[in-house]
Amino acid sequence: NKVRVIHNGVAPEFAPGPRRAQEQFRAAHGLPTRYLLYLGTLEPRKNLEMLVRAFGKWRTLAPEAAAGVKLVLAGGKGWYYDTIFTAVNSLGLTGEVLFPGFVPPAELPDWYRGAEAFVYPSMFEGFGLPVLEAMACGTPVICSQAASLREVAGTAALTLPAADEGAWVNAMHLLCDQPVMAAELRLRGLEQAAKFSWPQSAQKTIQVYNEMALFV
């Protein structure tokens, strides 16, 4: 009873954009028409080696559905990041998995908007702001069942066990092969993201301050 949970919000610039602007952004950054996006630090707890293996298996099992779809792992290098590059090379996925590096904050909404889906297989997270940002941009989300991510995503994303490669293979296939499902997740994501705002977070924080001031 001494703990009060106040969720993070999502900034207003994270919102859907026109299709033409997405096409121009992809062209300017050398991105393919279809890509699955991860965005965050490249480090072990993000579970990216599993994601790379699942992506490789999906390409093997469903080559027609996976044709032309790249995996983009965007973000700065953390610790043990070299194991991710090793996995990509050993699986023969060089050229299929792209590493654009650190993404400037001003460009984040465009990276989300241009993606076929946002994938976030993290083993654990404090909150999972990228999941919220992606949903606010109208991008379907596949994420792990880490407690904080489930709390953020609700029923608006495909949530999977972090270590279940088969489940991730199936989820990538479903989103890329079934446009009706992708469209449904876009709508759910927008509705879910609308529940989180920084003004609301600030208001709840002020409320706690006011309540505590009564005991001073």
Side-chain angles (χ1 to χ4, degrees):
N1 63 351
K2 294 182 179 180
V3 177
R4 200 76 63 85
V5 176
I6 300 174
H7 293 115
N8 288 344
V10 61
E13 59 264 29
F14 293 95
R19 184 178 298 275
R20 179 59 178 164
Q22 296 171 21
E23 294 171 354
Q24 292 173 341
F25 179 82
R26 287 193 293 262
H29 289 73
L31 292 168
T33 302
R34 304 179 70 195
Y35 65 91
L36 304 175
L37 175 69
Y38 160 85
L39 200 152
T41 306
L42 307 183
E43 61 184 8
R45 74 179 175 91
K46 300 296 188 176
N47 201 25
L48 297 178
E49 288 184 62
M50 184 285 302
L51 181 62
V52 168
R53 291 194 300 269
F55 178 71
K57 287 183 180 179
W58 174 50
R59 287 177 52 81
T60 300
L61 295 172
E64 292 185 5
V69 181
K70 307 288 186 182
L71 175 61
V72 176
L73 303 181
K77 296 175 181 177
W79 59 293
Y80 282 115
Y81 65 87
D82 53 326
T83 60
I84 302 167
F85 292 90
T86 299
V88 170
N89 292 331
S90 65
L91 292 170
L93 294 174
T94 303
E96 306 303 326
V97 179
L98 310 180
F99 293 93
F102 175 78
V103 173
E107 292 185 0
L108 288 175
D110 287 313
W111 285 85
Y112 288 124
R113 293 176 192 134
E116 190 94 352
F118 181 70
V119 288
Y120 207 63
S122 216
M123 302 294 288
F124 60 91
E125 288 291 333
F127 180 73
L129 191 57
V131 167
L132 180 57
E133 292 172 343
M135 291 192 301
C137 288
T139 302
V141 171
I142 308 172
C143 66
S144 73
Q145 292 177 342
S148 60
L149 298 185
R150 292 201 311 271
E151 190 170 353
V152 172
T155 60
L158 297 180
T159 57
L160 314 170
D164 190 340
E165 287 184 27
W168 284 83
V169 170
N170 291 336
M172 286 187 279
H173 182 70
L174 284 173
L175 269 189
C176 292
D177 192 54
Q178 297 190 17
V180 174
M181 172 177 285
E184 174 65 23
L185 285 177
R186 286 190 188 95
L187 292 176
R188 287 192 203 174
L190 289 169
E191 292 174 358
Q192 179 71 2
K195 300 175 183 178
F196 298 82
S197 73
W198 285 119
Q200 178 178 264
S201 298
Q203 184 177 7
K204 289 183 177 180
T205 303
I206 291 171
Q207 181 180 344
V208 173
Y209 289 166
N210 288 335
E211 290 175 6
M212 293 305 99
L214 297 176
F215 297 98
V216 176

